[in-house]
Amino acid sequence: MRLPLVWQLPTALLAGALIAGTAPAWADDAQADPTIPSDRVTVVLKFVKQPDDDNMAPVALLADSCAACTVLNDPALARDNRRETLVALALPARRTLALRFRAAPGAVKRVVLESGDLPFSADGDIVTVAMPPVASDAVTAGEFATHIVEPGMVLRFEHADVARRAGAYAQGAFPARQRRAADNLQFAQREVIRRTGLGEFVAQEKLGAIQVMGFDTNYPHGHTDAPPHMHMHLRWPLNAGTQIGHYYIDGQGLLTHNVVGVKSINGPARTYRRGETFTTMDVRGRPIYRHRITPEGWLELGRVAVGAAPCLIKPAQAGKGFETGAAVACARQAPVSIDVTDDLEGGILRVATGQIVETFRYDTDTGKLLSPAAPPATESNYVAPQ
């Protein structure tokens, strides 16, 4: 199949397009010079509520603690639910601040910036937060996802918590079936990436990283992420040029179509229907792997170069959707089943791959992975930084 021009952009042309979009060297407008940092940053703080304080009033900044700070009432960043209050602020950049907030006495469990905790103290209804100097926008505290990093790949597992539902999923039927389908499809794709050696190839060739993702149901930093879908894209080293597919999941837990756009390149998105093949290209213009949604709404995925037939990912139960699990079949390898369960209250993600059951423990407030990601190293195994 001949790919459209947008997928065939040579590296030199891509570089030229990026250079053409930068400010001229003689520009004397400081605001147009990206090397001059802004004096303001946007920050989102997550105030995690104590479990018995579901009805806690939203946290409010005390203006006299920072005259140079502004509260941002942007619903894409700031919100309140029974788990947490997200406060969005415009702060002076690179300043060490002591910010004071009013909150119900004893109601704040943690204060989180990005995925880490900030020190705070509470005195009655006053909570004082030790704010570190922040050089650029930090708005991802509202995310609730676990990242699993492997050679050449990052799997981002979004946790579908009804208590945190927001944005497009704030009202109406919660997409539990589609989210379960995405859970199984994500780890089924991981299994194919492992079985075909695709992750190791991407790492060795320094092509960037494969990103396997589902969809957020909590509208973090304005990420609408609807209708329900999942992803597997090769993020190029500088991101620009990354071809991002959106594999949409219907109410029966099956795949319908794939809408692909290219990061930072102005051009129309392309839709791939059932039966059509989408090929992901690397930064050198080489085809790396292919996706094809089958007429049944299943998924074929395989490497281009190795010459083997693509692996087939189909629902675990005949006549059902991927919410029942996934079955992965690759040439010359025994087929294997995938079944993913997510215990939101316990913070335990279990992934059954055939008879192998993996257990990933995560922070129930942030989604941060708590399980060890690598075996401990000893001095005799020391590897000098590259």
Side-chain angles (χ1 to χ4, degrees), residues 282-338:
D282 73 1
V283 70
R284 303 173 195 171
R286 300 177 300 178
I288 302 300
Y289 58 84
R290 291 180 175 139
H291 281 88
R292 175 178 173 268
I293 300 174
T294 72
E296 302 89 348
W298 306 345
L299 186 66
E300 288 181 351
L301 169 60
R303 286 181 60 180
V304 174
V306 295
C311 300
L312 176 64
I313 303 171
K314 65 180 183 179
Q317 296 183 22
K320 301 290 186 179
F322 283 104
E323 79 281 0
T324 64
V328 178
C330 299
R332 298 185 296 277
Q333 298 183 57
V336 68
S337 61
I338 305 290

Side-chain angles (χ1 to χ4, degrees), residues 32-87:
D33 188 343
T35 65
I36 299 178
S38 170
D39 63 350
R40 305 273 283 179
V41 292
T42 300
V43 167
V44 173
L45 296 178
K46 176 189 288 188
F47 291 81
V48 180
K49 301 178 181 182
Q50 294 287 359
D52 57 350
D53 282 299
D54 293 349
N55 296 318
M56 171 183 120
V59 177
L61 176 70
L62 296 179
D64 62 357
S65 70
C66 182
C69 300
T70 304
V71 176
L72 304 176
N73 296 312
D74 182 349
L77 301 175
R79 71 182 63 100
D80 180 70
N81 57 55
R82 66 185 181 89
R83 305 268 196 226
E84 62 211 11
T85 294
L86 303 180
V87 177

Side-chain angles (χ1 to χ4, degrees), residues 329-355:
C330 299
R332 298 185 296 277
Q333 298 183 57
V336 68
S337 61
I338 305 290
D339 185 60
V340 180
T341 57
D342 186 16
D343 177 359
L344 285 167
E345 295 302 320
I348 301 173
L349 174 65
R350 289 188 175 90
V351 181
T353 305
Q355 295 183 330

Side-chain angles (χ1 to χ4, degrees), residues 6-19:
V6 69
W7 309 122
Q8 302 181 44
L9 285 175
T11 304
L13 179 58
L14 175 61
L18 294 176
I19 292 171

Side-chain angles (χ1 to χ4, degrees), residues 22 83 106 110 118 193 280 319 322 325 361:
T22 60
R83 305 268 196 226
R110 301 168 65 180
L118 293 182
I193 291 168
T280 292
F322 283 104
R361 298 185 181 274

